[in-house]
């Protein structure tokens, strides 16, 4: 073929553009503050993804909403809640909870605290800028920036409590410290309550999952999604499942979270005072596929900023606990589907897997 007769392919130094973005330490918000009217090329999804998007159908179904009023009283209402959680965890892998015990004022304070962190002076934020995942408190934009096919339109403050069960309040940025410390305490308690209900939903004693210390390791990921000039070309967060036992998510009024249900994307509409709960990969494994960890994503939006706070309940990483399908759930008719694993091993495979592979499949027998 005569190369002169073909259309020239424009050269794009993607690696150089990524390095320049990282070195700025300004994140996506820095681009917006600089007045970009079109998103930089590193954020544009590959052509095959954009073409596939045109074929995707949208579902008008809604994830289940569960009122936790009455969980402390036992009796019929508590049984109804357990049944609702079982059905949601088996069919959707997602549900929303209301009357969960976390004060609505604290939810609002946490949203405001995350916004205040991301909107403070850049020089202050830069002090926490890091891609070192061992750091307990850090700020970055796209932890997988150099592996993903396209960058996502968001910045993130992370409070990592996977190794240490305690976070020094002085390590948390002052601008959101008070709300964050209170929020961590309340969400930890809610996580333990949810694991009691999930244990019962699996037909186990209420303390079973907490005895496995599923709620011990926690990572709080505080996302800031600025308004995007070309939301149709990028995503706020790409399609993924969670490398955790359970995720508890707080989102503001803007929305954008979608769950893949029956091969259709279903919008998760914000509920005032509600929290979103989803089954993670690790809970799917130890439940031996009784509960489902499903793909989800966040759309980019012209409106913004969107604020969300995800708490990943990851179990014990250090010293390493060995997890696997719960023996009480196994039988000749329902043998183990997965190998045993440690949290560190799962996380390592999750973050190093080929982009087109699901980490959970790597642990199947």
């Amino acid at each position: 073929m005569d190369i002169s007769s073909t259309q020239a392919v424009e050269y794009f130094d993607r690696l150089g553009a990524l390095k320049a973005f990282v070195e700025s330490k300004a994140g996506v918000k820095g681009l917006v503050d600089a007045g970009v009217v079109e998103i930089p090329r590193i954020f544009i999804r590959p052509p095959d993804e954009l073409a596939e998007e045109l074929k995707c159908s949208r579902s008008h179904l809604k994830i289940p909403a569960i009122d936790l009023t009455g969980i402390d009283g036992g009796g019929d209402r508590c049984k109804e809640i357990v049944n609702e959680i079982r059905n949601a965890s088996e069919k959707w892998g997602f549900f929303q909870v209301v009357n969960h015990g976390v004060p609505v004022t604290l939810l609002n304070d946490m949203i405001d605290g995350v916004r205040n962190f991301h909107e403070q002076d850049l020089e202050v934020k830069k002090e926490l800028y890091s891609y070192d995942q061992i750091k307990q408190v850090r700020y970055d934009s796209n932890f997988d920036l150099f592996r993903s096919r396209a960058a996502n339109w968001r910045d993130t403050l992370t409070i990592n409590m996977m190794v240490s069960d305690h976070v020094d309040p002085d390590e948390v940025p002052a601008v959101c410290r008070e709300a964050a410390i209170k929020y961590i305490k309340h969400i930890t308690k809610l996580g333990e309550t949810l694991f009691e209900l999930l244990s019962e939903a699996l037909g186990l004693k209420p303390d079973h999952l907490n005895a496995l210390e599923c709620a011990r390791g926690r990572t709080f990921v505080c996302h800031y999604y600025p308004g995007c000039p070309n939301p149709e070309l990028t995503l706020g967060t790409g399609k993924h499942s969670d490398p955790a036992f359970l995720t508890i998510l707080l989102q503001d009024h803007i929305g954008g979270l979608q769950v893949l249900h029956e091969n259709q994307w279903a919008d998760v509409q914000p509920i005032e005072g509600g929290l979103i709960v989803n089954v993670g990969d690790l809970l799917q494994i130890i439940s031996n596929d009784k509960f489902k960890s499903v793909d989800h994503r966040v759309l980019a939006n012209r409106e913004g900023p969107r604020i969300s706070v995800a708490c990943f309940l990851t179990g014990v990483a250090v010293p390493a606990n060995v997890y696997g399908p719960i023996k009480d759930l196994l039988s000749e008719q329902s043998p183990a589907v997965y190998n045993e694993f440690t949290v560190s091993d799962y996380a390592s495979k999750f973050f190093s897997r080929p982009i087109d592979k699901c980490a959970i499949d790597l642990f199947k027998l």
Side-chain angles (χ1 to χ4, degrees):
M1 179 183 291
D2 181 0
I3 195 167
S4 64
S5 66
T6 63
Q7 184 176 5
V9 178
E10 178 188 356
Y11 174 71
F12 173 56
D13 181 10
R14 178 175 175 78
L15 182 59
L18 291 173
K19 287 180 176 179
F21 178 71
V22 170
E23 289 167 3
S24 77
K25 299 184 179 180
V28 174
K29 185 177 185 300
L31 298 174
V32 173
D33 290 345
V36 295
V37 293
E38 293 184 352
I39 63 173
R41 190 162 169 179
I42 61 172
F43 294 92
I44 298 177
R45 298 166 69 188
D48 60 309
E49 281 192 23
L50 293 173
E52 187 66 26
E53 193 69 38
L54 298 175
K55 303 175 188 176
C56 286
S57 55
R58 300 279 285 271
S59 171
H60 296 292
L61 296 174
K62 295 181 179 179
I63 70 169
I66 301 173
D67 187 340
L68 297 186
T69 301
I71 55 172
D72 296 325
D76 291 343
R77 178 54 195 151
C78 192
K79 291 178 182 177
E80 289 174 3
I81 293 171
V82 169
N83 286 334
E84 289 175 26
I85 286 177
R86 179 189 302 111
N87 290 334
S89 300
E90 290 176 349
K91 297 175 182 177
W92 278 87
F94 265 79
F95 54 93
Q96 296 207 57
V97 292
V98 296
N99 296 317
H100 40 63
V102 184
V104 174
T105 52
L106 178 55
L107 302 182
N108 294 334
D109 288 347
M110 190 62 190
I111 292 290
D112 290 342
V114 172
R115 179 185 295 106
N116 291 339
F117 170 80
H118 286 283
E119 294 182 355
Q120 68 183 324
D121 185 86
L122 176 59
E123 295 306 312
V124 178
K125 286 194 297 183
K126 279 183 176 180
E127 296 175 7
L128 289 174
Y129 195 84
S130 174
Y131 283 85
D132 181 357
Q133 295 191 24
I134 302 301
K135 279 184 170 288
Q136 192 165 34
V137 180
R138 69 181 189 276
Y139 147 67
D140 65 22
S141 184
N142 288 261
F143 70 89
D144 59 349
L145 190 64
F146 290 92
R147 290 186 59 249
S148 62
R149 300 180 73 196
N152 290 154
W153 196 256
R154 69 164 194 275
D155 299 327
T156 306
L157 168 69
T158 299
I159 302 173
N160 184 344
M161 300 171 67
M162 279 188 68
V163 176
S164 172
D165 202 35
H166 172 75
V167 61
D168 183 348
D170 290 338
E171 294 293 315
V172 180
V175 72
C176 59
R177 182 178 300 151
E178 183 178 356
I181 296 302
K182 289 180 180 178
Y183 187 76
I184 289 170
K185 180 179 178 180
H186 276 84
I187 292 298
T188 299
K189 181 180 179 182
L190 175 59
E192 292 170 350
T193 298
L194 288 168
F195 279 123
E196 290 178 1
L197 296 168
L198 287 160
S199 294
E200 293 190 72
L202 287 169
L204 305 168
K205 292 180 179 179
D207 65 348
H208 196 107
L209 294 176
N210 282 321
L212 295 177
E213 300 184 294
C214 295
R216 267 256 326 256
R218 289 151 292 158
T219 300
F220 291 81
V221 177
C222 310
H223 290 314
Y224 182 94
Y225 302 85
C228 180
N230 308 108
E232 71 284 355
L233 297 180
T234 190
L235 287 170
T237 299
K239 183 177 78 170
H240 68 287
S241 60
D242 291 344
F245 285 100
L246 201 69
T247 303
I248 302 173
L249 177 76
L250 166 65
Q251 66 170 346
D252 67 10
H253 65 285
I254 292 178
L257 175 64
Q258 292 186 323
V259 175
L260 191 61
H261 180 68
E262 297 177 350
N263 294 316
Q264 294 182 311
W265 289 110
D267 294 316
V268 181
Q269 299 294 344
I271 296 177
E272 178 66 27
L275 289 165
I276 299 158
V277 180
N278 67 276
V279 173
D281 292 353
L282 309 189
L283 184 52
Q284 177 170 329
I285 291 176
I286 68 170
S287 73
N288 209 42
D289 279 347
K290 286 183 169 56
F291 292 163
K292 305 300 183 187
S293 175
V294 301
D295 285 334
H296 48 287
R297 67 181 186 179
V298 177
L299 300 179
N301 199 316
R302 290 189 185 277
E303 182 183 0
R306 174 186 185 264
I307 311 290
S308 72
V309 181
C311 171
F312 300 105
L313 299 166
T314 55
V316 178
V318 180
N321 273 9
V322 177
Y323 295 97
I326 296 170
K327 290 181 172 51
D328 290 348
L329 302 179
L330 305 180
S331 66
E332 287 187 16
Q333 294 74 32
S334 181
V337 180
Y338 298 97
N339 286 299
E340 293 183 332
F341 66 94
T342 65
V343 171
S344 296
D345 188 30
Y346 194 91
S348 176
K349 284 185 168 60
F350 182 90
F351 291 114
S352 63
R353 75 195 189 284
I355 291 172
D356 60 344
K357 295 288 186 182
C358 295
I360 199 169
D361 292 339
L362 302 177
F363 290 83
K364 284 189 174 179
L365 290 168

